[in-house]
């Protein structure tokens, strides 16, 4: 039995804890948790607004959810400072990206608890489903208008802008601290090697499983022998978003710029380069020229947050490692729940991308990135401190 919150329960909870009268509720796709898009009015207002109701179903602690909330508040505070210095048009086009903001409940809390009894199951049953938890953590965050990048035409211009927005976000995060940020999560790229080896056997059950297993083993071996020691020794570490896949990135109506980055559930303190490597991994999926897409996003990032030479040298293989982690994780999750199609969203493109990348000389992408960066206006930085370059 899966511990799922019904629309009726969600509507009742919103009225009771947030004084929101919902007129429309839509269940959104999600990897682990339950997310509802809510349209309605709050308090005595007659103005219809939109929010996202996020219900934690994976046993996150209140501290980990507070980490997400504090991170979103931190980004919004930094963005507000930028907006106060620059005109709104410049902010929207070149620098500032929007993120959701947590909304307080009627009793001024950013995190509320939903008792298991509301779900209609016996308390002991739901406790078993939730690995000992007898309640679910519930939050409300603001809604950002925009289409997910996965459904947009991903031009080089758009990918460069995504790189810029991630670079600025990482600069905002440079001074962000939280006691739960240094955590051991499977989606930290520093744990990808461990997670791949743990679940690689599940790939065998897929179509062409033996070949796909060898494909992953090839990239894993190349990472371990060529850049692993350099990667783990990189000096720059901080909190990063850690999951800029194309379903967590929102684009403008004209598909020319990034307007929002959502879902901070995988936020973690890790190597700085991991954030752009993960974004680059997803940017390569489904592309005729995956290296050109990776280069575009790296170019934009470097404009706002210059990378170190050692970071550039490991970036490509870190992106490959993320793709391997993603497809192996999809195989594992699919074996547990064959009906859950969401876990296979990027798997097909991931396997196709790995096959394409395997045909490229292993040094070529890194050499292209180094050439691109060294010939640009912004040279690789040589300091672990952020380079606060011009916002123009």
């Amino acid at each position: 039995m899966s511990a799922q919150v019904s629309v009726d329960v969600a509507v009742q909870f919103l009225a009771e804890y947030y004084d929101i009268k919902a007129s429309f509720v839509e269940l959104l796709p999600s990897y682990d948790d339950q997310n509802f898009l809510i349209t309605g009015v709050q308090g005595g207002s007659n103005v219809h607004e939109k929010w996202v109701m996020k219900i934690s179903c994976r046993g996150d602690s209140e501290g980990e959810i507070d980490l997400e909330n504090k991170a979103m508040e931190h980004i919004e505070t930094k963005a507000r400072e930028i907006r106060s210095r620059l005109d709104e048009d410049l902010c929207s086009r070149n620098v500032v990206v929007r993120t959701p903001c947590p909304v307080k409940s009627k009793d001024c809390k950013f995190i509320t608890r939903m008792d298991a009894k509301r779900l209609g199951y016996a308390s002991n049953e739901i406790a078993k489903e939730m690995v000992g938890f007898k309640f679910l953590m519930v939050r409300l965050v603001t809604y950002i208008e925009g289409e997910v990048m996965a459904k947009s035409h991903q031009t080089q211009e758009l990918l460069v802008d995504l790189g810029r927005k991630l670079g600025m976000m990482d600069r905002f995060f440079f001074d962000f601290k939280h006691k739960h940020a240094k955590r051991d999560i499977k989606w930290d790229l520093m744990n990808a090697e461990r997670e791949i080896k743990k679940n690689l056997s599940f790939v065998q059950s897929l179509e062409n499983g033996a070949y796909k297993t060898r494909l992953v083993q090839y990239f894993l071996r190349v990472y371990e022998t060529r850049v692993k020691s350099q990667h783990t020794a990189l000096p720059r570490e901080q909190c990063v978003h850690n999951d800029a896949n194309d379903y967590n990135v929102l684009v403008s109506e004209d598909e020319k710029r990034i307007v929002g980055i959502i879902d901070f559930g995988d936020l973690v303190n890790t190597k700085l380069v991991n954030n752009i490597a993960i974004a680059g991994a997803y940017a390569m999926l489904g592309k005729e020229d995956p290296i050109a897409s990776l280069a575009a996003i790296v170019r934009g990032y470097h404009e706002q947050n210059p990378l170190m030479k050692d970071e550039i040298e490991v970036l490509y293989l870190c992106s490959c490692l993320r793709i391997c982690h993603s497809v192996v994780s999809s195989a594992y999750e699919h074996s547990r729940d064959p009906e859950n199609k969401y876990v296979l969203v990027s798997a097909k493109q991931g396997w196709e991308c790995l096959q394409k990348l395997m045909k490229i000389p292993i040094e070529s992408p890194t050499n292209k990135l180094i050439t691109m960066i060294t010939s640009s206006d912004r040279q690789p930085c040589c300091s672990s401190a952020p380079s606060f370059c011009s916002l123009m």
Side-chain angles (χ1 to χ4, degrees):
M1 180 182 292
S2 178
Q4 297 294 306
V5 176
S6 69
V7 170
D8 288 342
V9 169
V11 169
Q12 293 169 8
F13 193 87
L14 287 166
E16 181 177 344
Y17 285 87
Y18 292 91
D19 198 17
I20 289 176
K21 183 178 181 180
S23 57
F24 178 78
V25 179
E26 178 186 356
L27 181 63
L28 301 174
S30 176
Y31 194 90
D32 287 309
D33 300 335
Q34 265 192 290
N35 295 325
F36 290 102
L37 172 59
I38 310 296
T39 303
V41 294
Q42 187 172 33
S45 173
N46 293 320
V47 179
H48 277 73
E49 299 180 63
K50 290 183 178 181
W51 304 270
V52 174
M53 183 183 189
K54 300 177 74 66
I55 304 171
S56 179
C57 299
R58 59 181 180 182
D60 286 341
S61 69
E62 192 162 340
E64 289 176 301
I65 296 175
D66 181 68
L67 166 65
E68 293 181 48
N69 285 346
K70 290 293 196 302
M72 290 186 285
E73 289 181 294
H74 182 84
I75 293 297
E76 178 57 28
T77 298
K78 292 286 188 179
R80 197 180 300 121
E81 293 173 1
I82 298 297
R83 294 188 191 104
S84 70
R85 300 203 302 268
L86 299 175
D87 68 85
E88 184 174 346
D89 184 56
L90 179 62
C91 286
S92 65
R93 285 187 295 109
N94 293 338
V95 180
V96 180
V97 64
R98 293 189 63 197
T99 60
C101 292
V103 177
K104 289 183 179 179
S105 62
K106 287 196 298 184
D107 56 356
C108 295
K109 293 180 179 179
F110 285 121
I111 304 171
T112 55
R113 296 182 177 186
M114 180 183 292
D115 195 289
K117 295 175 183 178
R118 283 181 175 268
L119 306 185
Y121 306 130
S123 180
N124 62 332
E125 291 178 357
I126 191 65
K128 183 178 179 180
E129 282 293 315
M130 296 310 298
V131 200
F133 287 84
K134 295 185 179 181
F135 54 82
L136 305 178
M137 300 287 189
V138 180
R139 290 173 293 154
L140 202 66
V141 298
T142 53
Y143 176 76
I144 301 175
E145 294 286 351
E147 183 61 86
V148 293
M149 195 169 75
K151 298 180 180 179
S152 304
H153 180 50
Q154 297 180 25
T155 62
Q156 296 292 292
E157 177 186 13
L158 188 65
L159 292 173
V160 169
D161 193 49
L162 174 56
R164 290 193 192 106
K165 299 296 170 59
L166 289 173
M168 179 56 67
M169 179 179 285
D170 281 348
R171 286 170 56 190
F172 286 172
F173 269 140
F174 175 73
D175 60 351
F176 176 72
K177 308 296 181 185
H178 194 285
K179 63 181 180 181
H180 290 280
K182 194 70 176 177
R183 53 185 181 150
D184 183 9
I185 61 172
K186 70 177 183 179
W187 290 113
D188 183 349
L189 200 59
M190 306 314 295
N191 295 330
E193 180 186 7
R194 176 192 75 191
E195 295 295 319
I196 291 170
K197 290 179 177 178
K198 182 172 71 176
N199 295 316
L200 186 58
S201 60
F202 293 97
V203 174
Q204 288 285 355
S205 62
L206 301 178
E207 183 179 359
N208 297 320
Y211 169 72
K212 290 176 177 176
T213 298
R214 292 195 299 273
L215 196 60
V216 171
Q217 289 172 331
Y218 165 76
F219 283 102
L220 191 59
R221 183 172 63 254
V222 171
Y223 167 80
E224 290 174 333
T225 57
R226 288 178 177 263
V227 301
K228 179 182 176 180
S229 59
Q230 184 176 345
H231 183 208
T232 55
L234 290 173
R236 296 207 290 181
E237 293 187 5
Q238 65 169 68
C239 282
V240 298
H241 178 274
N242 200 47
D243 193 20
N245 70 67
D246 49 9
Y247 281 88
N248 287 340
V249 177
L250 305 177
V251 305
S252 60
E253 188 174 355
D254 62 8
E255 299 187 341
K256 290 185 177 180
R257 59 188 175 87
I258 304 301
V259 296
I261 295 177
I262 61 175
D263 195 347
F264 285 70
D266 289 337
L267 184 105
V268 68
N269 188 299
T270 189
K271 301 297 182 183
L272 176 65
V273 73
N274 293 354
N275 200 35
I276 189 62
I278 288 168
Y282 290 107
M284 289 195 288
L285 301 184
K287 303 299 193 302
E288 186 67 29
D289 186 349
I291 306 306
S293 296
L294 175 64
I297 201 170
V298 172
R299 182 167 74 249
Y301 186 95
H302 189 73
E303 286 179 15
Q304 290 299 327
N305 197 20
L307 292 158
M308 300 175 71
K309 185 173 184 292
D310 284 353
E311 292 169 335
I312 300 167
E313 289 174 346
V314 307
L315 200 157
Y316 167 66
L317 287 177
C318 285
S319 292
C320 293
L321 187 68
R322 175 58 175 228
I323 298 174
C324 290
H325 186 185
S326 179
V327 295
V328 170
S329 180
S330 292
Y332 167 69
E333 294 294 343
H334 187 61
S335 72
R336 293 180 60 205
D337 184 5
E339 300 303 314
N340 187 349
K341 305 301 181 184
Y342 184 78
V343 300
L344 298 177
V345 166
S346 61
K348 184 175 184 294
Q349 288 187 330
W351 290 118
E352 292 172 349
C353 186
L354 289 176
Q355 292 179 64
K356 187 173 293 187
L357 296 177
M358 193 176 183
K359 299 175 183 178
I360 300 173
I362 202 66
E363 303 89 354
S364 177
T366 299
N367 290 339
K368 287 182 179 179
L369 292 179
I370 292 173
T371 300
M372 176 188 71
I373 295 301
T374 53
S375 62
S376 69
D377 293 335
R378 299 197 188 282
Q379 294 298 299
C381 72
C382 55
S383 169
S384 59
S387 176
F388 287 99
C389 50
S390 168
L391 297 177
M392 300 298 288

